[in-house]
Amino acid sequence: MSSVVLITGAATGIGNLTARALAAAGYTVYASMRDIGGRNTERAEELLELGRREGHDLRVVELDVQSDASAEAAVATILGEVGQLDAVVHNAGHLFVGYVEAFTAEDVQRLFDINAVGIQRVNRAVLPHMRGRRSGTLIYVGSTTSVVVPPFLGPYVASKFAADALAQVTAYEVNHLGIETTIVMPGPFTQGTEHFPNADHAGDEERTRAYAALDPLVDRNEEATEALFPRGVDAHPRAVAEEIARVLALPRGSRPFRSVIDFTNAGVEKVNELAGQVQEQFLTRMGCGELLHVTTTQD
């Protein structure tokens, strides 16, 4: 059968667009989301109807990345129905906007639980199967914010840093098992996702008021972001979905470790290149250079 892909956070935005793109490309797609029988019923049915109408193998599965049991159950459902899982697109995420001090420790813990620990939960559910097959692909939807570090998104940026680190070190450890990794790093988008409309804001109003002098900068954040796009460019997150589809279509062993989709031209690729060189030199000096490259069946 065709390759089977699980996508987390596929109700809206990049995850939803990726589910549609991969299904159109011929993959068996499991678009996962929370509360299929409740608030996401309509979104789930839209994807299922698209699959029926277009003749795509597009399915929906319940998965809450904040629950070990939910992640395990989703993977068990996939393996029970089709017997294999070839790739996972780690896309589920949430956004916090506000001044760092005004977020409680519990707020930050909740965001880390979604954006970083959620990845760990899903990986622990899928990796035993991939290890057994000595094959698989992990694609992480990261963020250029972990390089450019914009203001007023502190907890979000910190959680994406953490997710990126987990992805990198996991890649070192699964490469020899034939499991490939790609970190796709989108830049900012002001259309096509519900990231900003659904964002949470710092709940401590007293602490927020202490930073009132910065409020005008926060208020113009979206306008300032749009000003970074070259005139006439179509800065739409469908480009991220298209890149994920391109990466998955590449031959095993040739997929890039990082891919940047950034319409603001922030120069993140330059930082990634230098960081990659430093990391490769350091691991090689440690005697761990072989961890940097995936082992394929041909190897």
Side-chain angles (χ1 to χ4, degrees):
M1 69 176 301
S2 60
S3 292
V4 180
V5 183
L6 166 65
I7 305 168
T8 68
T12 62
I14 290 172
N16 190 276
L17 292 167
T18 301
R20 294 166 183 261
L22 293 182
Y27 294 88
T28 295
V29 175
Y30 279 85
S32 78
M33 60 192 74
R34 294 179 297 167
D35 201 14
I36 292 173
R39 68 176 188 172
N40 280 324
T41 299
E42 184 175 341
R43 288 164 172 158
E45 184 53 39
E46 283 179 2
L47 289 176
L48 293 173
E49 174 56 28
L50 173 67
R52 289 190 290 264
R53 185 173 66 249
E54 301 295 332
H56 300 157
D57 195 353
L58 179 53
R59 313 181 189 202
V60 175
V61 64
E62 178 87 23
L63 200 166
D64 179 356
V65 298
Q66 290 187 271
S67 165
D68 289 353
S70 180
E72 295 285 350
V75 173
T77 295
I78 295 168
L79 296 180
E81 290 182 359
V82 295
Q84 68 187 63
L85 180 54
D86 301 284
V88 175
V89 179
H90 289 287
N91 168 76
H94 192 53
L95 180 66
F96 276 4
V97 179
Y99 307 116
V100 176
E101 185 188 340
F103 289 102
T104 66
E106 290 74 21
D107 289 335
V108 177
Q109 285 176 331
R110 182 167 73 87
L111 191 62
F112 268 67
D113 194 51
I114 298 169
N115 291 357
V117 182
I119 286 172
Q120 180 71 358
R121 291 190 180 98
V122 174
N123 272 347
R124 282 177 53 82
V126 303
L127 283 174
H129 173 69
M130 290 183 174
R131 284 192 286 106
R133 299 179 67 201
R134 300 189 74 84
S135 177
T137 303
L138 303 175
I139 294 184
Y140 300 84
V141 179
S143 173
T144 59
T145 62
S146 59
V147 173
V148 298
V149 192
F152 317 128
L153 303 175
Y156 174 80
V157 174
S159 69
K160 298 303 281 189
F161 262 112
D164 194 286
L166 279 174
Q168 286 192 69
V169 179
T170 300
Y172 297 157
E173 297 167 2
V174 300
N175 269 340
H176 77 289
L177 297 167
I179 300 169
E180 293 186 88
T181 296
T182 295
I183 302 172
V184 177
M185 302 175 70
F189 293 100
T190 56
Q191 61 168 319
T193 78
E194 297 186 15
H195 223 29
F196 277 96
N198 288 343
D200 279 332
H201 297 267
D204 191 327
E205 295 180 1
E206 180 180 354
R207 305 280 180 119
T208 296
R209 285 193 294 270
Y211 292 85
L214 298 178
D215 285 352
L217 292 177
V218 178
D219 292 341
R220 66 180 292 271
N221 187 54
E222 185 171 338
E223 177 186 347
T225 300
E226 289 181 346
L228 297 173
F229 301 140
R231 181 174 298 180
V233 71
D234 182 18
H236 194 282
R238 75 172 69 87
V240 182
E242 291 168 355
E243 175 63 3
I244 291 171
R246 184 191 74 84
V247 168
L248 278 177
L250 292 172
R252 290 196 63 220
S254 67
R255 294 173 180 130
F257 185 66
R258 290 188 183 275
S259 177
V260 177
I261 309 297
D262 177 26
F263 293 98
T264 70
N265 300 318
V268 171
E269 297 91 339
K270 298 177 184 177
V271 178
N272 288 344
E273 182 179 2
L274 180 58
Q277 292 171 1
V278 171
Q279 290 161 359
E280 181 172 1
Q281 291 167 4
F282 185 76
L283 264 67
T284 300
R285 289 171 56 208
M286 288 182 67
C288 297
E290 69 271 18
L291 300 182
L292 292 162
H293 308 288
V294 67
T295 301
T296 65
T297 52
Q298 289 78 14
D299 299 329

